[in-house]
Amino acid sequence: MTSKSLDFALGCPMPLPERDRIQLGHGSGGRMSANLLKERFLPAFPGEVLRQLGDGASLILGTREIVVSTDSFVVTPLEFPGGDIGDLAVNGTVNDVAMMGAVPRYLCAGFILEEGLPFEVLDRVVASMSAAAAAAGVVLVAGDTKVVERGKADGMFINTTGIGELQEGFRPAPHLARPGDAVLVSGPLGCHGMAVMGARDGLDFRLEIESDTAPLLSLVAALREAVGEGVHVLRDPTRGGLASALNEIAQASGVGVVLEDGVIPIPGAVAAACEVLGLDPLYVANEGVLVAIVDGEMASGALEAMRRDPLGREAVRVGTVTADHPGLVVLRTGVGGTRIVDLLPGDQLPRIC
Amino acid sequence: MTSKSLDFALGCPMPLPERDRIQLGHGSGGRMSANLLKERFLPAFPGEVLRQLGDGASLILGTREIVVSTDSFVVTPLEFPGGDIGDLAVNGTVNDVAMMGAVPRYLCAGFILEEGLPFEVLDRVVASMSAAAAAAGVVLVAGDTKVVERGKADGMFINTTGIGELQEGFRPAPHLARPGDAVLVSGPLGCHGMAVMGARDGLDFRLEIESDTAPLLSLVAALREAVGEGVHVLRDPTRGGLASALNEIAQASGVGVVLEDGVIPIPGAVAAACEVLGLDPLYVANEGVLVAIVDGEMASGALEAMRRDPLGREAVRVGTVTADHPGLVVLRTGVGGTRIVDLLPGDQLPRIC
């Protein structure tokens, strides 16, 4: 076994072809990520829970059901307009727990630090995590720190695992979308991805865009109170953006989704930056937006409830679930045409979270 | 905020002094790790649970108490005699949960993969995790995969979080050592650390040492059955070895520990390799050994129970807890002298787990 790993460390005389190696796209949240999971991880691990492929997992301890979710954060740069890896690592995991319909209570954090990381950067990130945890009402209960040599990591990576409690009679899940349901988004799309992009070295213009990183707990609570079990699916469209989230839901539920082009809320600055960079905003990551798929008859009540929350002021219905074209998401354009909004194979924007 | 992080990425014109940066020793499990935790993490996060500073945390969900533990694994090389980062990541976390007196049930795993990692390496590591999870009786319930560019990580890092159930009437904890207690170790020391060391590039001799990585669950169950609440403290002496584990216990319990030099089980090959490399085996990591601090009158029953388990065949009493020199661990040498076995400031062996 050892010799194989040394081969890798030293570089093989005959380099392995790309198809036999991990590529950046495997971390994209797109088709390559899905294939990596299906082909290399799922076959190795038995159990139904992992196969739910939700934002987290619900599991039984004794007679009690709890929700857990884990996420590693590798965003670069570590700090960007509107946030940093610290609040991102808290909000990202807290939101995944919330998308399962649970209230997050506890957080574990594992830090991988690169030798040479300035304490002042670490201190800012930790302060930011602390504030985010307080805002989300979660308590950090366990942590771990590892340090690797200079050049063996990129400043800092953070893994967080969140643990939450399910709420009686509220169990949204990716497979529960039904024809006739309304597709709602809680706010403007693409801000997180473009804020991180704009903070990268080498970009020759400054974007006036801030990350939307935020805990979505109050929005979920508002939806639960307003329409309860009328909320069929909740998802935070992070890596891979709205398009990837809806594709996963369409596949999990065996339904189609029709999006109305004109009403999808994309801020002008995001649209302009995406155009310059050749990106499609539907695939750009969000960290403070949720997609709610709700019973069609309850859509206006759900929207009203969301709009009363500061994070949901611009909540809007962007589409409808249909029995047509199961597994596919299509965009109805202004001129009456449609185009398929597919899963991308790989990354538009690597290391966005 | 952004400009600071870019400064770091680009290298400051006036480099920060070492004392203002993360150093390898901060990941050692020694004094520098303890200071990092006390000075930079604990002040940021409120709550009693984190301050227990155990191998994991016990927490309340509704009316139920559960145990969680999180750990990141950055071992290099990824594969070494007797194991790889995969079984290490499962056993390490499962053992931390077990050291809290709980039975591990569920596992979450977060992977950070370097672009270019050969699938064959990933597949072997995943297979090894799968086998380790099955052996430990834990189910993987949630996972996450991120990919970073070539040169931004070192092959693969894995974070695991374990969740377990406490057992009625069995609550060992680092602060429960009492004068008169016996200090037992379940088997030979130093094998994991020296096996990894021996697998590194650049070492000009081959060691015939295999890692001891293993789940300690059956040993814990045997101890629980044999002496129950007579087990005061359980600890797996990983990073920092037996010396660091006992120092932490001595400090948490406000007691002293006296070790008997002649009886500490150090295999000949480990002793020889440590001598060549200038290392002290008391500080070398173990991944399949536990330290049990038990009521002195129950020591022989505890030893008998451990010795019936294959992992505990060579279990032995290595010392005694005393009211003298609280917070200190001393080694009584053959010639009647004693020396203080202190926490090391930093690393003997970085990236051993």
Side-chain angles (χ1 to χ4, degrees):
Chain A
M1 291 168 88
T2 307
S3 65
K4 294 286 186 182
S5 102
L6 291 181
D7 280 355
F8 170 57
L10 297 169
C12 298
M14 283 276 289
L16 274 179
E18 281 301 298
R19 67 170 181 279
D20 294 334
R21 293 177 174 273
I22 287 290
Q23 298 167 48
L24 276 177
H26 287 113
S28 65
R31 199 174 297 284
M32 288 174 70
S33 293
N35 289 344
L36 182 72
L37 182 65
K38 277 185 213 144
E39 292 166 13
R40 299 185 183 270
F41 287 103
L42 288 186
F45 297 103
E48 273 315 297
V49 179
L50 192 61
R51 280 154 184 79
Q52 295 166 0
L53 301 183
D55 275 321
S58 73
L59 47 88
I60 307 287
L61 275 170
T63 55
R64 195 166 179 90
E65 192 171 4
I66 67 170
V67 161
V68 295
S69 182
T70 196
D71 238 327
S72 297
F73 294 84
V74 299
V75 65
T76 181
L78 297 174
E79 300 173 290
F80 44 81
D84 62 28
I85 191 172
D87 49 19
L88 198 63
V90 173
N91 291 333
T93 288
V94 153
N95 288 342
D96 282 348
V97 171
M99 295 304 111
M100 307 274 300
V103 176
R105 299 282 185 218
Y106 300 103
L107 206 64
C108 302
F111 295 82
I112 297 174
L113 307 176
E114 183 187 6
E115 181 188 18
L117 177 75
F119 280 138
E120 58 173 306
V121 175
L122 179 64
D123 291 348
R124 285 199 302 271
V125 167
V126 167
S128 160
M129 287 187 80
S130 172
V138 292
V139 180
L140 185 74
V141 289
D144 174 60
T145 306
K146 294 290 189 312
V147 179
V148 299
E149 305 90 329
R150 229 173 264 259
K152 299 297 187 184
D154 197 10
M156 170 172 11
F157 303 139
I158 303 177
N159 176 283
T160 50
T161 300
I163 299 173
E165 293 183 282
L166 283 163
Q167 305 298 293
E168 193 69 28
F170 190 62
R171 295 293 297 268
H175 64 281
L176 297 181
R178 297 283 168 269
D181 284 354
V183 180
L184 317 178
V185 299
S186 64
L189 297 174
C191 295
H192 175 71
M194 298 318 295
V196 173
M197 201 63 200
R200 293 216 174 133
D201 303 344
L203 197 69
D204 58 357
F205 59 95
R206 279 278 136 212
L207 302 174
E208 297 296 325
I209 301 172
E210 292 210 337
S211 169
D212 57 353
T213 179
L216 296 164
L217 312 184
S218 57
L219 269 179
V220 174
L223 278 168
R224 179 163 59 87
E225 206 165 300
V227 297
E229 296 184 2
V231 181
H232 296 165
V233 186
L234 289 177
R235 199 81 194 235
D236 56 336
T238 56
R239 246 188 324 183
L242 180 66
S244 304
L246 289 177
N247 265 281
E248 284 170 27
I249 294 165
Q251 283 163 28
S253 296
V255 297
V257 172
V258 180
L259 291 175
E260 305 294 338
D261 193 15
V263 297
I264 298 174
I266 295 165
V270 169
C274 280
E275 190 158 332
V276 170
L277 296 168
L279 302 173
D280 182 339
L282 289 183
Y283 295 88
V284 174
N286 312 279
E287 294 287 346
V289 171
L290 65 77
V291 184
I293 296 193
V294 304
D295 188 304
E297 299 192 351
M298 300 182 177
S300 58
L303 277 177
E304 277 168 32
M306 285 204 278
R307 285 174 184 157
R308 281 193 291 270
D309 186 282
L311 281 177
R313 271 194 314 263
E314 298 176 57
V316 63
R317 175 175 182 158
V318 296
T320 302
V321 176
T322 169
D324 302 337
H325 50 76
L328 285 187
V329 179
V330 304
L331 183 73
R332 195 140 58 188
T333 57
V335 294
T338 60
R339 71 170 172 92
I340 292 177
V341 180
D342 207 356
L343 265 190
L344 291 188
D347 264 331
Q348 282 204 130
L349 297 174
R351 299 188 57 191
I352 219 70
C353 63
Chain B
M1 289 168 89
T2 306
S3 64
K4 294 285 185 183
S5 103
L6 291 181
D7 280 353
F8 170 56
L10 297 169
C12 297
M14 282 277 288
L16 274 179
E18 282 300 298
R19 67 171 182 278
D20 294 335
R21 294 177 175 273
I22 287 289
Q23 299 167 47
L24 275 178
H26 287 113
S28 65
R31 199 174 296 284
M32 286 174 71
S33 292
N35 289 343
L36 182 72
L37 181 65
K38 276 186 213 141
E39 292 167 12
R40 299 187 183 270
F41 287 102
L42 288 186
F45 298 102
E48 273 316 297
V49 179
L50 192 61
R51 279 154 186 78
Q52 296 165 357
L53 301 184
D55 275 322
S58 73
L59 48 89
I60 307 287
L61 275 170
T63 56
R64 196 166 178 88
E65 192 171 4
I66 67 171
V67 161
V68 296
S69 181
T70 197
D71 237 327
S72 297
F73 294 84
V74 299
V75 65
T76 181
L78 298 174
E79 299 173 292
F80 44 80
D84 62 27
I85 192 173
D87 48 22
L88 198 63
V90 173
N91 291 333
T93 289
V94 153
N95 288 343
D96 282 347
V97 171
M99 295 306 109
M100 306 275 299
V103 176
R105 298 282 186 220
Y106 300 103
L107 206 64
C108 302
F111 295 83
I112 297 174
L113 307 177
E114 184 187 6
E115 182 188 17
L117 178 75
F119 280 138
E120 56 172 311
V121 175
L122 179 64
D123 291 348
R124 285 198 303 270
V125 167
V126 167
S128 158
M129 287 186 82
S130 172
V138 292
V139 180
L140 184 75
V141 290
D144 175 60
T145 306
K146 294 292 190 312
V147 180
V148 299
E149 306 89 331
R150 230 174 264 260
K152 299 298 187 186
D154 196 10
M156 170 171 11
F157 302 140
I158 303 177
N159 176 282
T160 50
T161 300
I163 299 173
E165 292 182 283
L166 282 163
Q167 305 298 293
E168 192 70 28
F170 189 64
R171 294 294 296 271
H175 64 282
L176 296 182
R178 296 284 169 268
D181 284 355
V183 180
L184 316 178
V185 300
S186 64
L189 298 174
C191 295
H192 174 72
M194 297 319 294
V196 172
M197 201 64 201
R200 293 219 173 131
D201 303 343
L203 197 67
D204 58 356
F205 60 95
R206 278 279 135 212
L207 302 175
E208 298 295 324
I209 301 172
E210 292 211 337
S211 169
D212 57 352
T213 178
L216 296 165
L217 313 184
S218 57
L219 268 179
V220 174
L223 278 168
R224 179 163 57 87
E225 207 166 298
V227 296
E229 296 184 1
V231 181
H232 296 166
V233 186
L234 289 177
R235 198 80 194 237
D236 56 335
T238 56
R239 246 188 324 182
L242 179 67
S244 304
L246 288 177
N247 265 280
E248 284 171 27
I249 293 165
Q251 282 163 29
S253 296
V255 296
V257 173
V258 180
L259 291 176
E260 304 294 338
D261 193 14
V263 296
I264 298 173
I266 296 165
V270 169
C274 279
E275 190 157 333
V276 170
L277 296 168
L279 301 172
D280 182 339
L282 290 182
Y283 295 89
V284 175
N286 312 279
E287 294 287 345
V289 171
L290 63 77
V291 183
I293 296 191
V294 304
D295 188 305
E297 300 193 350
M298 300 183 179
S300 57
L303 277 177
E304 275 167 33
M306 285 205 278
R307 286 175 183 157
R308 282 193 292 271
D309 187 283
L311 279 177
R313 271 195 312 264
E314 299 177 55
V316 63
R317 175 173 181 159
V318 296
T320 303
V321 177
T322 168
D324 303 335
H325 50 78
L328 285 188
V329 179
V330 304
L331 183 73
R332 197 143 53 188
T333 57
V335 294
T338 59
R339 71 171 172 91
I340 291 176
V341 180
D342 207 356
L343 265 189
L344 291 188
D347 265 328
Q348 280 204 133
L349 297 173
R351 298 188 59 192
I352 218 73
C353 63

